[in-house]
Amino acid sequence: MKVKIRVLPLGKDLKLKVGANLRTALIEAGISLDSPCGGQGTCLKCRVQGSGISAKFTELEREKLSTEELQSGWRLACQVTVEKPGEVHLPEVAVFRAKASFGLLGEEIPLQPNVHRRHFELSKPAIRDQRADWDRLAEYLEDAGLEPVSAELSMLQEIPDRLREGDFEGEVVLAGNEVVALDPPNSARDVLGLALDIGTTSLAAGLVDLDTGKVVALEAELNPQIAFGADVISRIMYMRESPEKREKLQKEVIKGLNQLLLRVCRIARRERERIFEATVVGNTTMLHALLGLDAIHIALAPYVGIFNRSLCVPAKELGLQIHPRGRVHILPSIASFVGADTVGVILATRLHQTQVPRLAIDIGTNGEVMLATKDGVLTASTAAGPAFEGGRIKFGMRATKGAISSFQATPSVDYTVIGGTIPRGICGSGLIDLVAELFRAGVLNRAGRMLVPSETSSSLAAELAQRVRVRGEDREFVVFKNGEREITLTQKDVRELQLAKGAIRAGIEMLMKEANVSTGDIQEVLLSGVFGNYINREKAVILGLVPPFPLERIHFIGNGAMDGALRALINLEERRWADEISAQAHHVELSGKADFEETFVRCLGLGA
Ligand code: FES
């Protein structure tokens, strides 16, 4: 017997056999859940949120998942046997891969890429028809409705051989109106595009088959520029020191992107020389660094960069190892601190087309806040700093194996470690959980001060406060201890998180005030960013990272900036929208607002 399992947020229905293992069934259906332990129940990476499906949690699930996770319906897919109809909600990290498997981006967005192929069949040269090779091809394409076509010199040099190889028949690959490749007839060679998201901390790449619109591989990596400063200001200052250092930063990011594009090509078994176009999003400083441009005026009042408009540059000028005649299309920015990554998020969320108030927050080293109403989109940039990505936190780390990613205190301390290993550190979502839980329990007061047992009144707080160590002026909460090995949350870590949280919350408050909307007016809150995938909504509200919205209005959208870059790759109309968004979004410069300082200070406190 088969039962219907609905896969969300894809809205895809699967008919699965009763008795099937959920992880295996999802993988067989093309949904590649992370499961490095191969279903042994040790990596804890195959989590999905489920309802229905099977009557009970298994013993292993009860042992490995926290009480809160169990209450929220989290399951280990490898441990679940399908028994009845139900729903599976995929974690955001799996959604892009699933979209790739199902080609959903291609379904959602009509396929109308800038790079496309056309079949041609030319009349052969003869004494009575002595048109030159290029003229012959160009006339054919123009007669077929294209604007005047062009070709680089290197392409012209190839044309005679290519035409004769195919006996004047074949496939032409066009980037806009430029002929970039000629293939023999029915060669079935790939036509690929690459979407790139250049973040201050992470790089991400999505490889797209432009014949189908399918995302065939999606990978992320640390931005190697991180060795030269954790935030944009330190990178700008580094670049400022000399032209050689600016060039060094450019080379680092290009090296990182080339490694990443090789990886996606290897995974998808495609040739990098068949990538004819890359679309790029990123914050303005990263885009300047990519092009080797001096970004100093972004950092100095009145904060003016070299470009905000969309740009198209030859890939070979940058050293990006795609097809030698490939192009790099950089999406436009909105303002010096609101880059093309924000435009990508707006495209992905369709904020620019909204009729009701909707809020989006791109959480990263820079936190961008977007508030859309029927009157348009307001944006603001906040200097959240690297705390959400583990930076400047004593035991901070990225959300990779060994990171404490969630935390609970009831009063016994319970936490989840990515990969199910001994903890090595704390990632952003773990940090939010820790601070929110300690605040809820009373170990941290509203001002963020860590309290010892004698300073607390509740028994829960007193029990947890036993873990607070006082070292001179410093205090720290012991999260994990095993012999010499320990992981602590220091008072300074709490301050760092307060600065990050305060910056984003103040940005939200300022935009709500500017648009004259209240918390109750906002119909949807979208959290974007690699980190945004893992945040516990309830803890984000307890911490006061976002106003006290009803939890069902808060949604994670994964890496919205990357989604925007993919859209711009697949459909030219999206690029036109991106240009419109850049021109029409209204940027609110928070530093220019008289009440920003006061709002920021008020938002530093813990709690809603
Ligand atoms: S695959 Fe389920 S825990 Fe590893």
Side-chain angles (χ1 to χ4, degrees), residues 23 34-46 76-79:
R23 168 184 162 269
D34 273 348
S35 43
C37 77
Q40 298 300 306
T42 54
C43 71
L44 310 189
K45 285 218 161 190
C46 61
L76 292 177
C78 68
Q79 302 299 310

Side-chain angles (χ1 to χ4, degrees), residues 340-351 360 362 370 528 557 560-561 564:
D341 45 0
T342 304
V343 171
V345 173
I346 296 173
L347 270 183
T349 53
R350 296 299 193 240
L351 280 191
D362 195 17
M370 296 141 261
S528 167
I557 59 161

